[in-house]
Amino acid sequence: MAKILFVLTGADHWTLADGTLHPTGFWAEEFATPFRTFTEAGHTVVVATPGGVVPTVDKGSLSAEANGGQAQADAIAAELEGASQLREPLKLEDVDLAEFDAVFYPGGHGPMEDLAVNADSGRLLARALGEGKPLAVLCHAPAALLAAGDAFAGYRVTAFTNEEEKLAGLADKAKWLLQDRLVELGVDFVAGAPFAPNVVVDRNLYTGQNPSSSGPLAKQMLEVL
């Protein structure tokens, strides 16, 4: 069975254009759904964060509204509570990629703050891509691609879109928008309908557009593990 590295943001805020610190972290469903998909299939998941800090869950991602009802929100919260890996993350800078068969980056606005400029993450992403390891990056986590130089130029990629950021009410407050920066990076950006599942596969790179893409993205990866 496979050993999968989950790289999570270590940030608990996102700095907006006016300097305001918007509380955030990782998005609950984007960890919980792939984690469940992989572990139920018998694979092992290991979590890493910058500095080995215990990752912060975005409180908004635990709301009933974000999960289609209170019952599902409670179920997601219980899954996070049961995932001991979240409380014992590796230091990202110490990770040996050779020990892992695949890499998965859940999103949330946190990666916009730290992984977008994290050189250790950028090197890991570029190496995973170059070695052909299955590499999945979800929602706002493609911000981490910005720290990998031009390694992803020319790849078909999706991520949380400008339209989705506008509908979420944060586009006008952001220092920069993810879709814009990825296009500047040279990727072939593939936008689907707002908040609808959209998974794009290009060689060994798997990207998902938004939280609703977390399940389909994990299932696509599962087929090659």
Side-chain angles (χ1 to χ4, degrees):
M1 305 308 290
K3 188 177 181 183
I4 307 168
L5 178 68
F6 271 42
V7 179
L8 269 67
T9 177
D12 62 5
H13 66 274
W14 177 31
T15 306
L16 301 179
D18 65 358
T20 300
L21 302 185
H22 176 71
T24 186
F26 70 91
W27 198 258
E29 181 186 356
E30 295 177 29
F31 172 86
T33 299
F35 179 84
R36 180 176 64 251
T37 299
F38 296 138
T39 55
E40 287 184 349
H43 302 298
T44 299
V45 169
V46 176
V47 170
T49 63
V53 301
V54 174
T56 298
V57 63
D58 188 313
K59 297 300 188 294
S61 70
L62 295 174
S63 69
E65 181 182 7
N67 291 285
Q70 191 59 51
Q72 181 62 14
D74 291 344
I76 292 285
E79 289 188 75
L80 297 187
E81 183 63 29
S84 61
Q85 293 91 332
L86 288 172
R87 296 183 288 279
E88 301 171 348
L90 302 179
K91 291 182 179 180
L92 179 59
E93 52 271 28
D94 294 340
V95 165
D96 181 1
L97 185 61
E99 296 180 2
F100 297 93
D101 303 296
V103 179
F104 196 101
Y105 275 63
H109 279 106
M112 302 278 282
E113 185 73 21
D114 62 350
L115 297 180
V117 294
N118 186 290
D120 294 305
S121 173
R123 284 190 289 270
L124 185 145
L125 284 165
R127 183 178 166 192
L129 188 74
E131 292 181 0
K133 290 183 188 283
L135 171 62
V137 195
L138 177 59
C139 198
H140 284 93
L145 306 187
L146 302 175
D150 61 359
F152 291 86
Y155 275 78
R156 296 176 72 248
V157 170
T158 192
F160 205 70
T161 65
N162 289 356
E163 181 64 18
E164 287 170 320
E165 206 71 83
K166 290 175 185 175
L167 293 171
L170 287 168
D172 293 340
K173 302 176 182 179
K175 288 182 180 179
W176 48 271
L177 296 178
L178 181 54
Q179 180 178 344
D180 291 343
R181 290 290 297 274
L182 289 172
V183 170
E184 291 170 6
L185 189 67
V187 309
D188 178 6
F189 194 92
V190 183
F195 303 111
N198 180 34
V199 174
V200 174
V201 181
D202 189 342
R203 287 156 278 184
N204 60 310
L205 177 63
Y206 298 71
T207 51
Q209 180 173 317
N210 45 40
S212 67
S213 305
S214 59
L217 178 63
K219 289 175 183 175
Q220 286 258 34
M221 266 195 87
L222 201 59
E223 294 178 3
V224 299
L225 289 176

